[in-house]
């Protein structure tokens, strides 16, 4: 049986459906772009956000592991590489109802930056969790220290 030629009615219906689908996808895209992202903290003034971010970075830099890692990197590289804490995502991560900054410790060399560890730090700097990027799980500093012995990292390098 030879294929039936499509009627103009079928073509019109297909065109309308394609147009509606396109309009729906555009509307969905625009809605996603304008909707607040889940996990973001309520809007805070820019200056307050910068102060909170600085507090979180300072709290992380005060950890004995970060201090030791930084000193080790400086010494082992003869001053060519440095330890650095950088924000790894502009979006905060919600932890127990509190938006935390996503920060990582990097070894910064002239050629590249190598991530050593990732953290989530509350804006007041009082709570620091270690972000296991392989599993997406957050663990306490105590558990991280027990499981990973981070101070041994510099002893083996």
């Amino acid at each position: 049986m030879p294929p039936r030629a499509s009627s103009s009615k079928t073509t019109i219906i297909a065109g309308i459906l394609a147009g509606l689908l396109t309009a729906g996808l555009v509307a969905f895209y625009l809605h996603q772009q304008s909707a607040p992202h889940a996990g973001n903290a309520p809007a805070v003034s820019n200056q307050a956000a910068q102060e909170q971010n600085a507090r979180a970075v300072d709290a992380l830099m005060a950890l004995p592991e970060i201090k030791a890692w930084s000193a080790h990197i400086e010494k082992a590289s003869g001053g060519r590489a440095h330890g650095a804490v950088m924000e790894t995502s502009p979006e905060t991560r919600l932890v127990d109802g509190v938006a935390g900054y996503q920060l990582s410790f990097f070894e910064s060399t002239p050629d590249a930056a190598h991530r050593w560890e990732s953290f989530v730090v509350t804006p007041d700097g009082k709570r620091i969790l270690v972000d296991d990027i392989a599993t997406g799980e957050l663990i306490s500093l105590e558990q991280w220290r027990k499981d990973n012995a981070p101070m041994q990292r510099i002893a083996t390098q």
Side-chain angles (χ1 to χ4, degrees):
M1 191 182 211
R4 208 172 67 158
S6 72
S7 70
S8 61
K9 189 175 187 180
T10 305
T11 304
I12 291 171
I13 291 172
I16 290 171
L17 288 174
L20 288 173
L21 179 61
T22 302
L25 289 172
V26 168
F28 177 75
Y29 174 79
L30 292 174
H31 174 72
Q32 291 293 75
Q33 295 301 314
S34 65
H37 296 285
N40 280 357
V44 182
S45 77
N46 193 27
Q47 183 177 359
Q50 289 175 352
E51 289 171 6
Q52 290 175 344
N53 185 294
R55 227 175 287 132
V57 169
D58 290 345
L60 190 57
M61 290 295 292
L63 289 179
E65 293 85 357
I66 301 299
K67 289 179 178 179
W69 289 354
S70 292
H72 170 75
I73 290 168
E74 286 276 337
K75 184 177 179 183
S77 71
R80 291 183 314 275
H82 310 281
V85 170
M86 293 187 288
E87 190 172 37
T88 50
S89 175
E91 294 182 9
T92 56
R93 184 164 172 185
L94 201 57
V95 179
D96 298 330
V98 177
Y101 292 101
Q102 298 182 78
L103 306 171
S104 290
F105 177 79
F106 288 88
E107 177 179 349
S108 179
T109 68
D111 300 325
H114 305 280
R115 187 192 64 79
W116 279 44
E117 201 66 68
S118 294
F119 303 87
V120 174
V121 184
T122 57
D124 61 7
K126 293 183 179 177
R127 186 169 182 202
I128 300 173
L129 299 170
V130 181
D131 187 4
D132 181 347
I133 61 169
T135 66
E137 298 288 321
L138 295 174
I139 59 174
S140 68
L141 285 175
E142 295 77 22
Q143 190 66 44
W144 173 63
R145 288 171 175 147
K146 179 182 169 192
D147 294 347
N148 298 319
M151 294 299 266
Q152 293 300 314
R153 188 171 190 177
I154 57 176
T156 60
Q157 292 189 354

